[in-house]
Amino acid sequence: MTVFAQAHARLGLACLLVSITASGCQILPPSSAQTNREQRSPITAVDAAVVERQPLQEATRYTGTTEPFQSVSLRAQVEGQVLGLSVDVGDPVQSGQLLARLDDRLQSTAVVAAAAEVAARQSEVASQRAEVIAAMASVEQARLQLQQARSDAARLTRLFQAGAISAQEAETAQTAVLTAEQAVRTAQQQVQTRQQAVAAAERRVVAQQAIANQEQARRNFTQLIAPVTGLVLERSTEAGNLAREGDEILTIGDFSRIKVVLRVSELELANLRVGQSVQVRLDAFPKQTFTGQISRIAPVADRRTRLIPVEITMPNPDGRIGSGLLARVVLSSSAPDPIVVPEAALSTGETPTTSDRGTVFVVKKQGDRTTTEARSVRLGPRADGRVVIQSGLQAGETIVVRSASPLKAGQQVRLSILSTAGDQNG
């Protein structure tokens, strides 16, 4: 090759290089160039979270003290010396168990005297009944005499009519009949009088028997019997002391169930009902949560504090829960929890403080791409930086809570490491 030919070749190569440089990277295929530009375009990082149902505000908490479901005070119903106490504070007792005895000598004497008086009254009744029988016999005798008088009067009347006797004799026979009839009426009246006397005597027996029963009951009062099954809460006297009528001897608590009395604000009353379940936590058992029910809502509020007593009852099958323990009760509404999202999840284009509508971005997974969908929602109450979603969003969907830059519908995003759901790698 000549020198001119070599120079011409060099010139052609230089022109080719200048052409390639001026045209950039057009030597690559168009599709590859587009892919490289997408790789250089950054994907927006977002914090995402799963939508859940939860209370907008924490449930109201109240404190109370555990009490036995029933507390019974055993008091002396008669005066007497305490002869024995078989139980002490904390001892378990069974219904019907004999717990204490009082001196019953005076009551025993009264019972004997009353029983003797009953026997005397019963004897009086027997005597009155015998008199009734005698009076009834007198009636029968008077009836026989009347029958005889009538027979004699009829016979003498026939004789008078035959002229065999005088009229005076016939009239005397008629008078005898009238006398016999009066004797029958008198005897019958005596029977009624005697029967009334028997009824009165029987009523006196009943009255005296009631007195005897009362004295027997007073004697039984000298034995103090447990009316319920439970534990002895208090022992107010000792053996040997004189117990007067009305003095407290023992106090028994029924711990088959536990009662907690709260005093709630009148503002909470509309959310409460008898039978509603509540959660109870006891400091004595910090790892356990107990379930109780509202058993009573007082109809009258305290005039000074305007608080309403509410009684909570919960089971105590193993008897572990005692009296006087601090109870923390959570009263929650019976309505289902709403869908709640952070206010930060609402689109910045909205004015959430004045509008009842808003927009959230729902995260959608399409193959290996994660994009957003703009969703219009209706807003409800707000509290503590959160807002209730009344419609437009379902529990379980994933939404964008926070974004590194403004979003638009269909935009590809990448979930940050702070996200609680979805593919965090985008």
Side-chain angles (χ1 to χ4, degrees):
M1 182 180 297
T2 65
V3 173
F4 177 78
Q6 291 178 351
H8 183 73
R10 293 190 188 98
L11 180 59
L13 180 59
C15 290
L16 178 61
L17 292 176
V18 170
S19 176
I20 293 176
T21 303
S23 61
C25 298
Q26 295 299 325
I27 60 174
L28 297 176
S31 59
S32 298
Q34 178 68 22
T35 301
N36 289 340
R37 282 199 299 268
E38 289 183 356
Q39 289 177 349
R40 289 195 301 270
S41 177
I43 299 175
T44 303
V46 296
D47 296 339
V50 176
V51 176
E52 298 179 348
R53 289 186 177 273
Q54 54 186 293
L56 180 62
Q57 295 177 308
E58 290 189 5
T60 307
R61 299 177 183 270
Y62 291 91
T63 58
T65 305
T66 59
E67 302 175 9
F69 177 72
Q70 183 180 12
S71 182
V72 180
S73 177
L74 294 184
R75 297 179 179 272
Q77 295 179 273
V78 295
E79 183 174 322
Q81 184 181 22
V82 180
L83 298 183
L85 280 172
S86 60
V87 293
D88 206 341
V89 175
D91 290 347
V93 298
Q94 297 295 321
S95 178
Q97 179 181 343
L98 176 63
L99 305 180
R101 291 187 304 108
L102 304 179
D103 187 0
D104 65 348
R105 285 176 294 181
L106 293 177
Q107 287 73 27
S108 297
T109 301
V111 168
V112 172
E117 188 64 24
V118 169
R121 300 294 184 186
Q122 290 173 340
S123 177
E124 181 183 353
V125 170
S127 177
Q128 296 291 345
R129 286 175 177 170
E131 292 183 4
V132 169
I133 294 173
M136 295 176 67
S138 298
V139 170
E140 188 63 27
Q141 184 179 0
R143 285 176 177 171
L144 292 175
Q145 290 176 353
L146 174 60
Q147 183 180 0
Q148 184 62 42
R150 286 173 176 171
S151 177
D152 290 345
R155 180 173 54 80
L156 291 177
T157 298
R158 289 192 299 270
L159 290 175
F160 169 73
Q161 291 174 350
I165 60 173
S166 63
Q168 183 178 3
E169 290 177 329
E171 292 175 353
T172 301
Q174 291 296 332
T175 302
V177 170
L178 297 176
T179 302
E181 289 177 348
Q182 181 62 38
V184 170
R185 288 193 293 270
T186 302
Q188 290 175 338
Q189 186 64 38
Q190 287 292 328
V191 170
Q192 293 178 358
T193 302
R194 296 303 181 186
Q195 286 176 338
Q196 291 174 354
V198 169
E202 289 175 342
R203 287 194 294 269
R204 287 193 291 272
V205 170
V206 172
Q208 188 58 43
Q209 186 63 57
I211 294 174
N213 293 340
Q214 182 179 7
E215 295 299 335
Q216 182 61 49
R218 290 177 63 83
R219 181 183 180 184
N220 293 339
F221 288 157
T222 60
Q223 296 184 342
L224 274 68
I225 307 297
V228 296
T229 298
L231 300 175
V232 177
L233 301 180
E234 187 176 354
R235 172 171 165 166
S236 305
T237 189
E238 299 294 336
N241 290 342
L242 176 65
R244 294 182 173 83
E245 186 174 348
D247 287 352
E248 184 178 271
I249 307 298
L250 295 167
T251 301
I252 300 174
D254 177 8
F255 285 91
S256 61
R257 287 179 287 175
I258 293 297
K259 180 173 63 178
V260 179
V261 178
L262 311 175
R263 285 169 174 78
V264 304
S265 166
E266 59 186 9
L267 301 178
E268 294 288 337
L269 189 60
N271 297 326
L272 304 180
R273 71 179 191 280
V274 174
Q276 179 179 337
S277 294
V278 299
Q279 301 298 316
V280 182
R281 296 186 64 87
L282 304 175
D283 287 359
F285 305 97
K287 297 183 179 180
Q288 286 186 269
T289 299
F290 302 89
T291 301
Q293 285 187 335
I294 297 178
S295 55
R296 189 176 69 89
I297 300 176
V300 180
D302 185 275
R303 292 185 177 182
R304 184 177 58 87
T305 63
R306 302 296 182 185
L307 297 179
I308 301 169
V310 174
E311 184 178 289
I312 309 296
T313 304
M314 59 182 185
N316 187 24
D318 52 7
R320 292 189 306 157
I321 305 175
S323 179
L325 303 180
L326 180 64
R328 306 180 188 276
V329 181
V330 177
L331 301 180
S332 57
S333 173
S334 58
D337 290 336
I339 293 177
V340 177
V341 302
E343 283 190 305
L346 299 177
S347 173
T348 56
E350 302 293 334
T351 55
T353 57
T354 59
S355 175
D356 64 347
R357 304 296 301 186
T359 301
V360 295
F361 286 96
V362 180
V363 176
K364 295 293 184 178
K365 188 71 173 179
Q366 300 175 346
D368 59 350
R369 290 168 53 85
T370 302
T371 60
T372 60
E373 174 191 337
R375 185 81 59 82
S376 177
V377 293
R378 188 160 64 93
L379 307 179
R382 310 163 190 271
D384 302 328
R386 299 187 302 166
V387 59
V388 172
I389 303 299
Q390 296 181 338
S391 65
L393 197 62
Q394 300 294 325
E397 291 186 296
T398 302
I399 64 171
V400 175
V401 176
R402 188 177 295 101
S403 172
S405 60
L407 297 176
K408 58 183 180 180
Q411 182 174 346
Q412 185 175 1
V413 294
R414 174 177 55 84
L415 303 189
S416 71
I417 60 174
L418 299 178
S419 299
T420 59
D423 182 6
Q424 295 183 1
N425 294 324

